[in-house]
Amino acid sequence: MSIAVSDDNLFIGCDDGRVHLCTTTSDYSYFTTLIAFTEGSTRKKVVSSLAWYNGVLFVGGGNGHIAVFKPNVLPVTHMRSLGVHDDESEYEAHTGNVRCLKIHHGKLHSGSRDTIKIWDCESFELLRTFTVDPEGKGITSLATHNDQ
């Protein structure tokens, strides 16, 4: 399970490809579900990581993709997937499970088995790729330093 928080929103990622959105204010609670991943085996559909940036939800999956949603617009709409070219041809954002997502200075850092990729949060452009674990033993988390 993965969790992301923003303002009054709580996003909960599930093993079946769903993300639950719970909006809680002093007056009411609202609960809805969006489907992030539908194709592939159960392992490939898992929502393994979540990150929130400026009204956009990034969802990392077991299928190597990073889905991008705009949950503040109802109904919640899938904007795009990182790993899709402008001509709609697809490639995987990662070759394996996107285990962790971290936002830092307007950049999305995503980690999988042996690589970390850095994406621009506004243009969704891939900026850099690092192979940090050539043996593929597994990146499980990321942290960034807050430069002043």
Side-chain angles (χ1 to χ4, degrees):
M1 179 188 302
S2 51
I3 296 174
V5 178
S6 114
D7 301 325
D8 293 325
N9 298 316
L10 174 66
F11 303 96
I12 305 161
C14 301
D15 287 343
D16 62 359
R18 294 179 301 148
V19 176
H20 297 296
L21 163 61
C22 181
T23 302
T24 305
T25 65
S26 58
D27 300 312
Y28 69 96
S29 276
Y30 178 72
F31 185 80
T32 190
T33 300
L34 61 94
I35 306 297
F37 306 110
T38 58
E39 297 178 9
S41 66
T42 302
R43 182 185 64 80
K44 290 191 175 265
K45 286 194 283 191
V46 66
V47 173
S48 53
S49 52
L50 296 168
W52 176 262
Y53 175 76
N54 201 23
V56 175
L57 179 67
F58 296 92
V59 181
N63 58 2
H65 288 259
I66 301 171
V68 183
F69 291 90
K70 193 123 176 124
N72 289 349
V73 178
L74 294 176
V76 176
T77 55
H78 177 255
M79 291 174 59
R80 65 175 296 137
S81 292
L82 300 185
V84 178
H85 295 287
D86 289 336
D87 67 0
E88 300 295 321
S89 61
E90 290 189 29
Y91 64 95
E92 294 175 325
H94 286 275
T95 57
N97 186 359
V98 182
R99 296 179 179 177
C100 45
L101 296 172
K102 177 74 176 168
I103 307 286
H104 183 69
H105 292 300
K107 307 288 187 279
L108 173 71
H109 299 72
S110 59
S112 70
R113 187 180 66 232
D114 62 351
T115 59
I116 294 174
K117 295 190 177 191
I118 301 175
W119 311 80
D120 184 280
C121 286
E122 301 291 334
S123 70
F124 309 114
E125 176 186 356
L126 177 62
L127 303 174
R128 290 194 69 179
T129 300
F130 299 94
T131 300
V132 295
D133 184 10
E135 295 177 18
K137 293 184 179 175
I139 296 166
T140 59
S141 57
L142 292 170
T144 56
H145 182 268
N146 190 11
D147 297 329
Q148 301 201 15

